[in-house]
Amino acid sequence: MNDAVTLRVNGKPVTVPAGAMVSTAIAAAGFDLFRRSVTGQPRGPLCGMGICFECRVTVGGRQHVRSCQTACASGMEVQTDE
Amino acid sequence: MNASFDVAIAGGGIVGAACADFCSAAGMRVAVVEAGPIGGGATAAGMGHIVVMDDSPAQIALTERSRSLWMALARELPADAEYVTAGTIWVAADAEEMAEVERKRALYAGIGVRAEVLGPRQLSEAEPNLRPGLAGGLLVPDDGVSYPPCAARFFLERAQARGAVLLRAKAVELMETGIRLAGGEAVAAGAVVNATGAWAPELTPRFAVRKRKGHLAITDRYPGFLRHQLVELGYLKSAHSTAADSVAFNAQPRRTGQVLIGSSRQFGAEHAAIDQPILTRMLERARAYMPPLADLTVIRCWTGFRAAAPDKLPLIGPCAGRPRLLLATGHEGLGITTSLATGELVAAHLSGRPFAIPPEPYLPSRELEAEGDPLHE
Ligand SMILES: Cc1cc2nc3c(=O)[nH]c(=O)nc-3n(C[C@H](O)[C@H](O)[C@H](O)COP(=O)(O)OP(=O)(O)OC[C@H]3O[C@@H](n4cnc5c(N)ncnc54)[C@H](O)[C@@H]3O)c2cc1C
Ligand code: FES
């Protein structure tokens, strides 16, 4: 399947169509907690267009990446908060 | 005179708040006149590095005394004052700056300030995100970091608990008998302190305190990225030049995991807007020392104004010929640190109790015009 990429979210492999955003892959992998706020509240995508910064996750070791603005790539390692 | 207050302080920045704290602790009836939020001036803009600085013997005395007051206070400070004994590392890029490290170490040893020379290996172990190839550094482990507006609020609240009164108003005139407020009303007091920071010349125009603008940038939260307050030793060269605009690498770990990046120095820039070319220079300088900073997200940039006195020492104490009119301004880039010894000096001037350090070097009556007209370079 040429038009699909496989990446891992919290260690779990997930396959999504090429061009899908990381936020989509996280949801497809079955996670709804993207990060925790400073006071520990659960957070996930709100605006879907790069403005609210609620969808930040760690991608390839890099923290605070907006998952709604980052396209999935093959072999990507995505980490959300617990 | 039947004054309702022993002392009225204009300005509710960290300096005015510390003056209120020490004066009320000495038993004085205190009024603080502040129109804006507490600590909303330079105090909200500053970095909050609590540091011993060694430009001159008087600066060493003031910063060292202040730092010990901060250390003694550490456990009483509220959590939101974010006081952390992060330690300073003075970063040396080359052999010349390593010579400065050695000079500083010897000087600090002589005054009982703990300091430790780091070689290149120890430096990169202490701060792995610094670029390789630096010469070393000097670790001063007892220096601290704080969040200044909350510390200012805490000092003022302590004073208020002892009966000090906060008056939400703008001071328009300082008199030896009190402060005239914008509405025309006067606050009667036995003595008056001008602690309005960079605005001080509006109330005491004879004293040439100039605004020296600075930029800062803060990142998102990256816990563990930075452990110590880092200051490049090239800072000494740039901070000392009073003419040109300058930038220097300065990075501070916040308790939140954020990295606060500084800083710039500009005279003659009166507008608070971000100066993009200066900000870019400042961030480039930071990246040259700490390349991985480039991967961090900066979430906010702002500017603030330091109150610069002509001889780089603050003005603390009574004015010549006007013993009941005191100044507490001109703290430039060190007013968070030196707020505490300033409050202590002001209280001693007013109460007649012994001084913790000799007050003379900071008196407004000292010769300030020796090197020409400070208003014109
Ligand atoms: C970029 C930058 C970085 C800095 N970093 C550090 C650092 O790391 N460590 C350090 O020790 N220091 C640092 N400083 C310096 C420090 O911030 C200042 O020296 C300190 O905040 C001065 O406090 P202040 O109370 O004198 O002035 P301010 O905080 O400016 O307070 C003056 C107050 O007076 C009020 N006021 C003015 N006019 C009137 C009036 N007419 N009537 C009533 N109220 C009035 C204002 O509203 C204000 O609240 C830095 C400064 C800057 C700009
Ligand atoms: S969902 Fe708002 S920035 Fe990503």
Side-chain angles (χ1 to χ4, degrees), chain A residues 38 53 56 62-64, chain B residues 220-223 295 297:
Chain A
V38 170
F53 282 68
R56 283 170 287 158
R62 187 167 167 169
Q63 301 171 69
H64 300 298
Chain B
D220 212 322
R221 297 173 182 236
Y222 300 90
D295 288 333
T297 306

Side-chain angles (χ1 to χ4, degrees), chain A residues 48-63:
Chain A
M49 59 185 195
I51 304 300
C52 72
F53 282 68
E54 293 291 13
C55 64
R56 283 170 287 158
V57 295
T58 299
V59 176
R62 187 167 167 169
Q63 301 171 69

Side-chain angles (χ1 to χ4, degrees), chain B residues 39-353:
Chain B
T43 299
M47 259 191 144
H49 184 200
I50 311 297
V51 57
V52 177
M53 287 283 278
D54 60 350
D55 268 5
S56 63
Q59 193 188 61
I60 296 171
L62 193 69
T63 53
E64 205 275 324
R65 175 66 190 162
S66 296
R67 195 190 68 169
S68 36
L69 290 168
W70 277 100
M71 287 162 76
L73 205 62
R75 281 212 236 118
E76 288 173 61
L77 288 168
D80 63 4
E82 294 181 5
Y83 183 84
V84 182
T85 312
T88 305
I89 298 179
W90 299 91
V91 179
D94 53 28
E96 188 191 339
E97 291 176 11
M98 266 324 262
E100 173 65 11
V101 160
E102 190 43 52
R103 189 198 64 78
K104 254 176 137 55
R105 188 207 56 77
L107 189 148
Y108 285 159
I111 55 170
V113 170
R114 292 202 296 153
E116 182 190 331
V117 175
L118 307 179
R121 269 268 301 281
Q122 293 160 304
L123 179 65
S124 64
E125 277 165 20
E127 290 296 345
N129 285 312
L130 279 170
R131 84 171 140 82
L134 291 164
L138 185 71
L139 170 65
V140 184
D142 298 324
D143 281 351
V145 161
S146 75
Y147 183 56
C150 290
R153 189 213 60 221
F154 171 71
F155 298 152
L156 186 67
E157 283 173 358
R158 291 215 304 184
Q160 287 174 299
R162 300 184 195 106
V165 174
L166 171 62
L167 299 166
R168 295 278 182 190
K170 185 177 158 67
V172 290
E173 191 192 345
L174 302 188
M175 306 162 290
E176 278 184 289
T177 54
I179 298 182
R180 187 167 314 282
L181 307 181
E185 185 195 340
V187 183
V192 166
V193 180
N194 185 0
T196 57
W199 294 275
E202 291 176 17
L203 295 170
T204 46
R206 210 164 62 72
F207 294 94
V209 172
R210 289 198 295 165
K211 290 193 168 93
R212 200 170 193 193
K213 184 174 177 178
H215 288 72
L216 292 173
I218 197 161
T219 70
D220 212 322
R221 297 173 182 236
Y222 300 90
F225 182 89
L226 180 69
R227 300 164 192 166
H228 306 84
Q229 168 104 27
L230 304 182
V231 188
E232 66 159 296
L233 275 168
Y235 165 91
L236 296 164
K237 298 161 198 159
S238 54
H240 284 193
S241 83
T242 48
D245 295 352
S246 65
V247 298
F249 168 59
N250 199 316
Q252 177 179 95
R254 303 298 316 169
R255 195 183 249 185
T256 53
Q258 291 171 282
V259 181
L260 179 52
I261 304 167
S263 63
S264 65
R265 289 172 188 264
Q266 287 172 280
F267 276 126
E270 296 277 323
H271 203 283
I274 300 273
D275 180 334
Q276 198 61 52
I278 287 276
L279 181 66
T280 304
R281 263 176 67 194
M282 181 184 101
L283 293 173
E284 287 297 329
R285 184 91 188 156
R287 193 168 69 163
Y289 275 86
M290 261 200 157
L293 273 175
D295 288 333
L296 272 44
T297 306
V298 166
I299 59 167
R300 204 158 69 87
C301 303
W302 66 92
T303 67
F305 293 99
R306 308 172 182 91
D311 61 357
K312 303 188 189 78
L313 283 175
L315 301 154
I316 308 167
C319 301
R322 286 182 178 271
R324 307 309 289 168
L325 174 60
L326 284 76
L327 301 188
T329 180
H331 294 77
E332 234 222 279
L334 286 171
I336 305 307
T337 304
T338 55
S339 58
L340 292 182
T342 299
E344 191 181 42
L345 282 169
V346 163
H349 276 296
L350 290 172
S351 67
R353 294 193 195 164

